[in-house]
Amino acid sequence: MPDQDQVKRDMASNFKSANEIKWATRQRLQYIELMAYYTGVVSRSDVARAFGISDAAATKDLKLYSELAPDNLIYSQKVFGFVPDHGFVEMFADLAPEVALPVIATNLPAAGGPSGKQDLYGIPAETLPLPSRFPPQDVLAQTTRAIKAGKQLEVVYRSLSDRDSEAARIIEPHSLINTGLRWHVRAYSHDTYDFRDFVLSRITEARLLDEDAESSMEYDDDWVELVTLRLAPHPGLDETKRQSLLTDYSVSGDTIDLQVRRALIGYLLRSLSVDSTRDHSLNPNAYQLVVVNRDEIEPFAGWAFL
């Protein structure tokens, strides 16, 4: 078995620098690798369809790829396409599952734009039909402009608290947050004199102000500081299920350790359906994880603990 690092070095030596390859061409080379590795074959028609180019141009890309990575693909007359050789080593694409699965699921070329209803990979992938929880377009634009320019933002926010939701408030946003279920904006609030999260879809109006933000991200301690959230299988699970769960999370020890911003701990607990009761009283089949270092974590996400 050849040394994989040496193989990569030999392949890289075929050209002086990746910068010599134009970005559009590099995208197509990424797609060739992703398609070949995860479906087992890539053809001229695959490349042409994915990028809307001619068969001749697709042939040129496959020829270029074969020149740069001569040991990666071999032509198979049986499938009329190129299949990965035994010594295949990725050269252009990041083939890690965490990168490849979203690309396949969203039906994207390697790093390009959406391709409509064209089936680029032939691998069925379904996404949950979650309710739409997005802000109006102009609200998002005003918010992102305020973040980019370091400006204050006047918003009308439909809070779930007793506060008058129709009253305008001034915030100083510095970051967006995607919890997987909805989007938030992290901002300093002039009303409460602290940093907090605002659900983007509850902002009904937003107006960029001329005034510079006075409190930048560096003053937001819960955002800047990282902590380790230590999780373990629920004690109500039998040993077989506990070991299966640890395998599911790709850990070799007894705990799942995640570094997270203090401000995001609560969202992470909810997203992973963690049993946050002190006596672990929730159904272990529905809440499969518990917090090991609760005393360390709870002060930063009290709302997420029961």
Side-chain angles (χ1 to χ4, degrees):
M1 177 69 70
D3 179 74
Q4 297 298 297
D5 290 336
Q6 184 60 49
V7 171
K8 286 185 177 182
R9 288 193 293 269
D10 292 342
M11 291 166 60
S13 67
N14 287 330
F15 57 98
K16 295 179 180 179
S17 169
N19 292 330
E20 294 180 1
I21 301 176
K22 294 181 179 179
W23 174 236
T25 302
R26 190 175 182 86
Q27 288 180 304
R28 298 194 293 273
L29 298 179
Q30 289 174 357
Y31 171 78
I32 289 170
E33 281 193 341
L34 183 68
M35 186 71 175
Y37 185 78
Y38 276 110
T39 73
V41 59
V42 60
S43 68
R44 177 182 62 184
S45 60
D46 290 329
V47 180
R49 182 176 67 252
F51 293 92
I53 60 177
S54 67
D55 285 349
T59 298
K60 183 178 179 181
D61 288 329
L62 285 164
K63 182 174 183 295
L64 174 62
Y65 184 86
S66 295
E67 292 172 353
L68 297 174
D71 299 322
N72 269 2
L73 301 179
I74 56 175
Y75 186 77
S76 170
Q77 193 71 37
K78 182 178 180 181
V79 294
F80 299 105
F82 292 87
V83 299
D85 204 353
H86 297 298
F88 182 95
V89 177
E90 66 267 28
M91 185 172 179
F92 296 98
D94 186 344
L95 299 181
E98 60 268 26
V99 176
L101 277 174
V103 171
I104 293 172
T106 51
N107 201 43
L108 294 175
S115 301
K117 295 182 179 180
Q118 294 187 69
D119 187 358
L120 301 184
Y121 297 96
I123 302 172
E126 189 62 47
T127 301
L128 293 177
L130 299 175
S132 175
R133 302 177 81 172
F134 296 103
Q137 182 173 317
D138 61 327
V139 166
L140 178 59
Q142 292 291 297
T143 303
T144 52
R145 291 175 190 177
I147 293 173
K148 180 70 173 178
K151 296 292 185 180
Q152 296 180 14
L153 188 70
E154 183 182 70
V155 300
V156 174
Y157 184 69
R158 304 289 296 184
S159 174
L160 295 185
S161 68
D162 295 332
R163 187 189 189 282
D164 183 2
S165 294
E166 296 300 325
R169 64 179 83 190
I170 306 298
I171 65 174
E172 299 177 6
H174 68 66
S175 298
L176 297 177
I177 302 168
N178 180 11
T179 69
L181 294 176
R182 62 187 183 187
W183 286 85
H184 300 247
V185 59
R186 183 75 175 176
Y188 179 80
S189 170
H190 282 210
D191 283 2
T192 55
Y193 305 105
D194 62 1
F195 287 94
R196 56 182 54 205
D197 305 333
F198 295 89
V199 182
L200 267 176
S201 52
R202 293 186 195 154
I203 300 177
T204 58
E205 298 177 32
R207 183 170 66 91
L208 183 66
L209 302 179
D210 291 332
E211 289 80 2
D212 291 338
E214 299 173 356
S215 297
S216 62
M217 182 194 304
E218 63 188 29
Y219 298 113
D220 187 353
D221 292 340
D222 284 342
W223 185 264
V224 174
E225 294 295 329
L226 299 176
V227 294
T228 298
L229 175 63
R230 183 156 293 165
L231 305 173
H234 197 291
L237 297 173
D238 62 36
E239 185 58 25
T240 298
K241 290 181 178 179
R242 289 168 60 85
Q243 291 303 318
S244 295
L245 193 59
L246 292 171
T247 299
D248 184 17
Y249 283 94
S250 302
V251 295
S252 56
D254 296 325
T255 63
I256 303 159
D257 295 344
L258 303 170
Q259 269 213 321
V260 58
R261 297 184 189 278
R262 294 192 321 207
L264 304 182
I265 293 172
Y267 302 131
L268 188 55
L269 293 175
R270 291 290 176 86
S271 179
L272 294 175
S273 297
V274 175
D275 182 346
S276 58
T277 60
R278 190 167 287 278
D279 59 355
H280 309 319
S281 59
L282 298 181
N283 183 347
N285 292 313
Y287 299 86
Q288 300 172 337
L289 298 171
V290 297
V291 181
V292 175
N293 56 337
R294 177 183 179 124
D295 291 341
E296 177 187 354
I297 297 300
E298 187 173 5
F300 308 116
W303 61 269
F305 286 89
L306 304 175

